[in-house]
PDB file of all heavy atoms in Angstrom:
ATOM      1  N   ARG B 262       6.039 -22.528 -22.721  1.00 93.00           N
ATOM      2  CA  ARG B 262       7.137 -21.757 -22.161  1.00 93.00           C
ATOM      3  C   ARG B 262       6.708 -21.087 -20.853  1.00 93.00           C
ATOM      4  O   ARG B 262       7.455 -21.025 -19.889  1.00 93.00           O
ATOM      5  CB  ARG B 262       7.581 -20.693 -23.176  1.00 93.00           C
ATOM      6  CG  ARG B 262       8.877 -19.985 -22.818  1.00 93.00           C
ATOM      7  CD  ARG B 262      10.072 -20.886 -22.836  1.00 93.00           C
ATOM      8  NE  ARG B 262      10.502 -21.216 -24.161  1.00 93.00           N
ATOM      9  CZ  ARG B 262      11.752 -21.081 -24.612  1.00 93.00           C
ATOM     10  NH1 ARG B 262      12.672 -20.614 -23.805  1.00 93.00           N
ATOM     11  NH2 ARG B 262      12.060 -21.424 -25.819  1.00 93.00           N
ATOM     12  N   ALA B 263       5.471 -20.581 -20.840  1.00 92.00           N
ATOM     13  CA  ALA B 263       4.955 -19.907 -19.646  1.00 92.00           C
ATOM     14  C   ALA B 263       4.824 -20.887 -18.481  1.00 92.00           C
ATOM     15  O   ALA B 263       5.163 -20.565 -17.342  1.00 92.00           O
ATOM     16  CB  ALA B 263       3.621 -19.253 -19.951  1.00 92.00           C
ATOM     17  N   LEU B 264       4.338 -22.084 -18.772  1.00 90.00           N
ATOM     18  CA  LEU B 264       4.204 -23.088 -17.706  1.00 90.00           C
ATOM     19  C   LEU B 264       5.570 -23.495 -17.168  1.00 90.00           C
ATOM     20  O   LEU B 264       5.749 -23.695 -15.969  1.00 90.00           O
ATOM     21  CB  LEU B 264       3.439 -24.312 -18.216  1.00 90.00           C
ATOM     22  CG  LEU B 264       1.951 -24.080 -18.493  1.00 90.00           C
ATOM     23  CD1 LEU B 264       1.316 -25.292 -19.153  1.00 90.00           C
ATOM     24  CD2 LEU B 264       1.203 -23.733 -17.209  1.00 90.00           C
ATOM     25  N   ASN B 265       6.543 -23.580 -18.075  1.00 89.00           N
ATOM     26  CA  ASN B 265       7.913 -23.871 -17.685  1.00 89.00           C
ATOM     27  C   ASN B 265       8.439 -22.822 -16.728  1.00 89.00           C
ATOM     28  O   ASN B 265       9.058 -23.111 -15.715  1.00 89.00           O
ATOM     29  CB  ASN B 265       8.820 -23.854 -18.921  1.00 89.00           C
ATOM     30  CG  ASN B 265       9.228 -25.238 -19.305  1.00 89.00           C
ATOM     31  OD1 ASN B 265       9.205 -26.140 -18.492  1.00 89.00           O
ATOM     32  ND2 ASN B 265       9.609 -25.403 -20.553  1.00 89.00           N
ATOM     33  N   TYR B 266       8.173 -21.600 -17.098  1.00 88.00           N
ATOM     34  CA  TYR B 266       8.623 -20.466 -16.294  1.00 88.00           C
ATOM     35  C   TYR B 266       8.027 -20.561 -14.891  1.00 88.00           C
ATOM     36  O   TYR B 266       8.715 -20.353 -13.906  1.00 88.00           O
ATOM     37  CB  TYR B 266       8.200 -19.149 -16.963  1.00 88.00           C
ATOM     38  CG  TYR B 266       8.405 -17.950 -16.072  1.00 88.00           C
ATOM     39  CD1 TYR B 266       9.618 -17.270 -16.060  1.00 88.00           C
ATOM     40  CD2 TYR B 266       7.401 -17.507 -15.223  1.00 88.00           C
ATOM     41  CE1 TYR B 266       9.812 -16.193 -15.225  1.00 88.00           C
ATOM     42  CE2 TYR B 266       7.600 -16.431 -14.385  1.00 88.00           C
ATOM     43  CZ  TYR B 266       8.800 -15.779 -14.393  1.00 88.00           C
ATOM     44  OH  TYR B 266       8.997 -14.713 -13.561  1.00 88.00           O
ATOM     45  N   LEU B 267       6.749 -20.900 -14.838  1.00 84.00           N
ATOM     46  CA  LEU B 267       6.083 -21.013 -13.537  1.00 84.00           C
ATOM     47  C   LEU B 267       6.732 -22.098 -12.693  1.00 84.00           C
ATOM     48  O   LEU B 267       6.983 -21.924 -11.513  1.00 84.00           O
ATOM     49  CB  LEU B 267       4.608 -21.372 -13.723  1.00 84.00           C
ATOM     50  CG  LEU B 267       3.642 -20.232 -13.992  1.00 84.00           C
ATOM     51  CD1 LEU B 267       2.232 -20.760 -14.030  1.00 84.00           C
ATOM     52  CD2 LEU B 267       3.759 -19.166 -12.916  1.00 84.00           C
ATOM     53  N   LYS B 268       7.021 -23.204 -13.338  1.00 82.00           N
ATOM     54  CA  LYS B 268       7.644 -24.325 -12.633  1.00 82.00           C
ATOM     55  C   LYS B 268       8.966 -23.888 -12.026  1.00 82.00           C
ATOM     56  O   LYS B 268       9.255 -24.155 -10.882  1.00 82.00           O
ATOM     57  CB  LYS B 268       7.895 -25.478 -13.601  1.00 82.00           C
ATOM     58  CG  LYS B 268       6.953 -26.654 -13.372  1.00 82.00           C
ATOM     59  CD  LYS B 268       7.338 -27.853 -14.198  1.00 82.00           C
ATOM     60  CE  LYS B 268       6.234 -28.183 -15.196  1.00 82.00           C
ATOM     61  NZ  LYS B 268       6.719 -28.899 -16.358  1.00 82.00           N
ATOM     62  N   LYS B 269       9.768 -23.197 -12.832  1.00 79.00           N
ATOM     63  CA  LYS B 269      11.098 -22.816 -12.369  1.00 79.00           C
ATOM     64  C   LYS B 269      11.038 -21.799 -11.252  1.00 79.00           C
ATOM     65  O   LYS B 269      11.836 -21.830 -10.342  1.00 79.00           O
ATOM     66  CB  LYS B 269      11.907 -22.216 -13.534  1.00 79.00           C
ATOM     67  CG  LYS B 269      12.423 -23.244 -14.464  1.00 79.00           C
ATOM     68  CD  LYS B 269      13.578 -22.679 -15.285  1.00 79.00           C
ATOM     69  CE  LYS B 269      13.747 -23.474 -16.565  1.00 79.00           C
ATOM     70  NZ  LYS B 269      13.939 -22.637 -17.723  1.00 79.00           N
ATOM     71  N   SER B 270      10.095 -20.892 -11.365  1.00 72.00           N
ATOM     72  CA  SER B 270      10.098 -19.813 -10.376  1.00 72.00           C
ATOM     73  C   SER B 270       9.076 -20.046  -9.277  1.00 72.00           C
ATOM     74  O   SER B 270       8.675 -19.144  -8.597  1.00 72.00           O
ATOM     75  CB  SER B 270       9.814 -18.483 -11.060  1.00 72.00           C
ATOM     76  OG  SER B 270       8.542 -18.535 -11.673  1.00 72.00           O
ATOM     77  N   GLU B 271       8.658 -21.278  -9.116  1.00 61.00           N
ATOM     78  CA  GLU B 271       7.634 -21.592  -8.119  1.00 61.00           C
ATOM     79  C   GLU B 271       7.978 -21.052  -6.742  1.00 61.00           C
ATOM     80  O   GLU B 271       7.167 -20.553  -6.016  1.00 61.00           O
ATOM     81  CB  GLU B 271       7.468 -23.107  -8.018  1.00 61.00           C
ATOM     82  CG  GLU B 271       6.022 -23.507  -7.899  1.00 61.00           C
ATOM     83  CD  GLU B 271       5.796 -24.982  -8.170  1.00 61.00           C
ATOM     84  OE1 GLU B 271       6.686 -25.625  -8.740  1.00 61.00           O
ATOM     85  OE2 GLU B 271       4.743 -25.466  -7.809  1.00 61.00           O
ATOM     86  N   HIS B 272       9.239 -21.173  -6.382  1.00 42.00           N
ATOM     87  CA  HIS B 272       9.643 -20.725  -5.061  1.00 42.00           C
ATOM     88  C   HIS B 272       9.669 -19.219  -4.937  1.00 42.00           C
ATOM     89  O   HIS B 272       9.871 -18.690  -3.874  1.00 42.00           O
ATOM     90  CB  HIS B 272      11.001 -21.312  -4.686  1.00 42.00           C
ATOM     91  CG  HIS B 272      12.069 -20.966  -5.674  1.00 42.00           C
ATOM     92  ND1 HIS B 272      12.142 -21.553  -6.900  1.00 42.00           N
ATOM     93  CD2 HIS B 272      13.085 -20.083  -5.620  1.00 42.00           C
ATOM     94  CE1 HIS B 272      13.164 -21.054  -7.566  1.00 42.00           C
ATOM     95  NE2 HIS B 272      13.753 -20.157  -6.813  1.00 42.00           N
ATOM     96  N   GLU B 273       9.473 -18.530  -6.070  1.00 48.00           N
ATOM     97  CA  GLU B 273       9.524 -17.080  -6.022  1.00 48.00           C
ATOM     98  C   GLU B 273       8.168 -16.442  -5.757  1.00 48.00           C
ATOM     99  O   GLU B 273       8.087 -15.259  -5.535  1.00 48.00           O
ATOM    100  CB  GLU B 273      10.073 -16.522  -7.342  1.00 48.00           C
ATOM    101  CG  GLU B 273      11.531 -16.836  -7.594  1.00 48.00           C
ATOM    102  CD  GLU B 273      12.439 -16.325  -6.492  1.00 48.00           C
ATOM    103  OE1 GLU B 273      12.139 -15.276  -5.891  1.00 48.00           O
ATOM    104  OE2 GLU B 273      13.447 -16.991  -6.240  1.00 48.00           O
ATOM    105  N   VAL B 274       7.119 -17.221  -5.832  1.00 39.00           N
ATOM    106  CA  VAL B 274       5.793 -16.647  -5.601  1.00 39.00           C
ATOM    107  C   VAL B 274       5.676 -16.222  -4.141  1.00 39.00           C
ATOM    108  O   VAL B 274       5.840 -17.000  -3.238  1.00 39.00           O
ATOM    109  CB  VAL B 274       4.676 -17.662  -5.953  1.00 39.00           C
ATOM    110  CG1 VAL B 274       3.321 -17.103  -5.569  1.00 39.00           C
ATOM    111  CG2 VAL B 274       4.710 -17.997  -7.424  1.00 39.00           C
ATOM    112  N   HIS B 275       5.412 -14.960  -3.910  1.00 33.00           N
ATOM    113  CA  HIS B 275       5.456 -14.438  -2.553  1.00 33.00           C
ATOM    114  C   HIS B 275       4.192 -14.723  -1.753  1.00 33.00           C
ATOM    115  O   HIS B 275       4.234 -15.053  -0.596  1.00 33.00           O
ATOM    116  CB  HIS B 275       5.717 -12.924  -2.577  1.00 33.00           C
ATOM    117  CG  HIS B 275       7.046 -12.591  -3.157  1.00 33.00           C
ATOM    118  ND1 HIS B 275       8.197 -12.602  -2.403  1.00 33.00           N
ATOM    119  CD2 HIS B 275       7.428 -12.300  -4.409  1.00 33.00           C
ATOM    120  CE1 HIS B 275       9.213 -12.286  -3.184  1.00 33.00           C
ATOM    121  NE2 HIS B 275       8.785 -12.096  -4.403  1.00 33.00           N
ATOM    122  N   GLU B 276       3.049 -14.573  -2.426  1.00 28.00           N
ATOM    123  CA  GLU B 276       1.804 -14.819  -1.710  1.00 28.00           C
ATOM    124  C   GLU B 276       1.430 -16.287  -1.907  1.00 28.00           C
ATOM    125  O   GLU B 276       1.485 -16.778  -3.004  1.00 28.00           O
ATOM    126  CB  GLU B 276       0.689 -13.945  -2.287  1.00 28.00           C
ATOM    127  CG  GLU B 276       0.948 -12.463  -2.192  1.00 28.00           C
ATOM    128  CD  GLU B 276       0.510 -11.932  -0.846  1.00 28.00           C
ATOM    129  OE1 GLU B 276      -0.687 -11.951  -0.607  1.00 28.00           O
ATOM    130  OE2 GLU B 276       1.361 -11.497  -0.067  1.00 28.00           O
ATOM    131  N   SER B 277       1.022 -16.963  -0.880  1.00 22.00           N
ATOM    132  CA  SER B 277       0.739 -18.385  -1.037  1.00 22.00           C
ATOM    133  C   SER B 277      -0.528 -18.595  -1.854  1.00 22.00           C
ATOM    134  O   SER B 277      -1.595 -18.174  -1.469  1.00 22.00           O
ATOM    135  CB  SER B 277       0.575 -19.045   0.331  1.00 22.00           C
ATOM    136  OG  SER B 277      -0.335 -18.304   1.109  1.00 22.00           O
ATOM    137  N   GLY B 278      -0.376 -19.256  -2.986  1.00 23.00           N
ATOM    138  CA  GLY B 278      -1.497 -19.613  -3.831  1.00 23.00           C
ATOM    139  C   GLY B 278      -2.297 -18.426  -4.349  1.00 23.00           C
ATOM    140  O   GLY B 278      -3.356 -18.569  -4.908  1.00 23.00           O
ATOM    141  N   TYR B 279      -1.757 -17.256  -4.187  1.00 25.00           N
ATOM    142  CA  TYR B 279      -2.525 -16.073  -4.584  1.00 25.00           C
ATOM    143  C   TYR B 279      -1.722 -15.381  -5.670  1.00 25.00           C
ATOM    144  O   TYR B 279      -0.693 -14.784  -5.389  1.00 25.00           O
ATOM    145  CB  TYR B 279      -2.692 -15.189  -3.358  1.00 25.00           C
ATOM    146  CG  TYR B 279      -3.214 -13.808  -3.602  1.00 25.00           C
ATOM    147  CD1 TYR B 279      -4.553 -13.531  -3.456  1.00 25.00           C
ATOM    148  CD2 TYR B 279      -2.359 -12.774  -3.927  1.00 25.00           C
ATOM    149  CE1 TYR B 279      -5.033 -12.254  -3.629  1.00 25.00           C
ATOM    150  CE2 TYR B 279      -2.830 -11.490  -4.112  1.00 25.00           C
ATOM    151  CZ  TYR B 279      -4.175 -11.241  -3.955  1.00 25.00           C
ATOM    152  OH  TYR B 279      -4.643  -9.978  -4.110  1.00 25.00           O
ATOM    153  N   ASN B 280      -2.189 -15.520  -6.903  1.00 29.00           N
ATOM    154  CA  ASN B 280      -1.412 -14.936  -7.981  1.00 29.00           C
ATOM    155  C   ASN B 280      -1.833 -13.511  -8.226  1.00 29.00           C
ATOM    156  O   ASN B 280      -2.983 -13.225  -8.478  1.00 29.00           O
ATOM    157  CB  ASN B 280      -1.601 -15.755  -9.251  1.00 29.00           C
ATOM    158  CG  ASN B 280      -0.917 -17.096  -9.121  1.00 29.00           C
ATOM    159  OD1 ASN B 280       0.210 -17.172  -8.695  1.00 29.00           O
ATOM    160  ND2 ASN B 280      -1.615 -18.147  -9.456  1.00 29.00           N
ATOM    161  N   SER B 281      -0.911 -12.609  -8.140  1.00 30.00           N
ATOM    162  CA  SER B 281      -1.245 -11.198  -8.269  1.00 30.00           C
ATOM    163  C   SER B 281      -0.741 -10.646  -9.591  1.00 30.00           C
ATOM    164  O   SER B 281      -0.089 -11.329 -10.344  1.00 30.00           O
ATOM    165  CB  SER B 281      -0.640 -10.432  -7.112  1.00 30.00           C
ATOM    166  OG  SER B 281       0.648 -10.912  -6.870  1.00 30.00           O
ATOM    167  N   THR B 282      -1.101  -9.444  -9.870  1.00 33.00           N
ATOM    168  CA  THR B 282      -0.765  -8.893 -11.182  1.00 33.00           C
ATOM    169  C   THR B 282       0.101  -7.647 -11.081  1.00 33.00           C
ATOM    170  O   THR B 282       0.071  -6.937 -10.100  1.00 33.00           O
ATOM    171  CB  THR B 282      -2.036  -8.504 -11.940  1.00 33.00           C
ATOM    172  OG1 THR B 282      -2.756  -7.592 -11.107  1.00 33.00           O
ATOM    173  CG2 THR B 282      -2.891  -9.706 -12.217  1.00 33.00           C
ATOM    174  N   LEU B 283       0.868  -7.425 -12.108  1.00 26.00           N
ATOM    175  CA  LEU B 283       1.724  -6.254 -12.174  1.00 26.00           C
ATOM    176  C   LEU B 283       1.063  -5.173 -12.998  1.00 26.00           C
ATOM    177  O   LEU B 283       0.304  -5.452 -13.910  1.00 26.00           O
ATOM    178  CB  LEU B 283       3.039  -6.623 -12.857  1.00 26.00           C
ATOM    179  CG  LEU B 283       4.102  -7.338 -12.034  1.00 26.00           C
ATOM    180  CD1 LEU B 283       5.106  -7.996 -12.949  1.00 26.00           C
ATOM    181  CD2 LEU B 283       4.819  -6.337 -11.144  1.00 26.00           C
ATOM    182  N   PHE B 284       1.385  -3.981 -12.726  1.00 24.00           N
ATOM    183  CA  PHE B 284       0.960  -2.868 -13.565  1.00 24.00           C
ATOM    184  C   PHE B 284      -0.522  -2.886 -13.891  1.00 24.00           C
ATOM    185  O   PHE B 284      -0.911  -2.783 -15.033  1.00 24.00           O
ATOM    186  CB  PHE B 284       1.747  -2.871 -14.876  1.00 24.00           C
ATOM    187  CG  PHE B 284       3.218  -2.682 -14.650  1.00 24.00           C
ATOM    188  CD1 PHE B 284       4.119  -3.675 -14.961  1.00 24.00           C
ATOM    189  CD2 PHE B 284       3.684  -1.507 -14.094  1.00 24.00           C
ATOM    190  CE1 PHE B 284       5.459  -3.504 -14.732  1.00 24.00           C
ATOM    191  CE2 PHE B 284       5.044  -1.335 -13.865  1.00 24.00           C
ATOM    192  CZ  PHE B 284       5.920  -2.336 -14.194  1.00 24.00           C
ATOM    193  N   ASN B 285      -1.302  -3.045 -12.876  1.00 27.00           N
ATOM    194  CA  ASN B 285      -2.729  -3.044 -13.130  1.00 27.00           C
ATOM    195  C   ASN B 285      -3.190  -1.642 -13.464  1.00 27.00           C
ATOM    196  O   ASN B 285      -3.088  -0.736 -12.660  1.00 27.00           O
ATOM    197  CB  ASN B 285      -3.458  -3.566 -11.901  1.00 27.00           C
ATOM    198  CG  ASN B 285      -4.943  -3.537 -12.108  1.00 27.00           C
ATOM    199  OD1 ASN B 285      -5.428  -3.942 -13.140  1.00 27.00           O
ATOM    200  ND2 ASN B 285      -5.654  -3.042 -11.126  1.00 27.00           N
TER     201      ASN B 285
END
Side-chain angles (χ1 to χ4, degrees):
Chain B
R262 190 66 75 128
L264 290 173
N265 253 338
Y266 169 88
L267 276 185
K268 252 188 244 155
K269 283 200 202 135
S270 61
E271 221 165 344
H272 57 286
E273 292 302 327
V274 174
H275 296 275
E276 300 275 293
S277 50
Y279 168 96
N280 290 313
S281 41
T282 56
L283 280 162
F284 298 115
N285 178 45

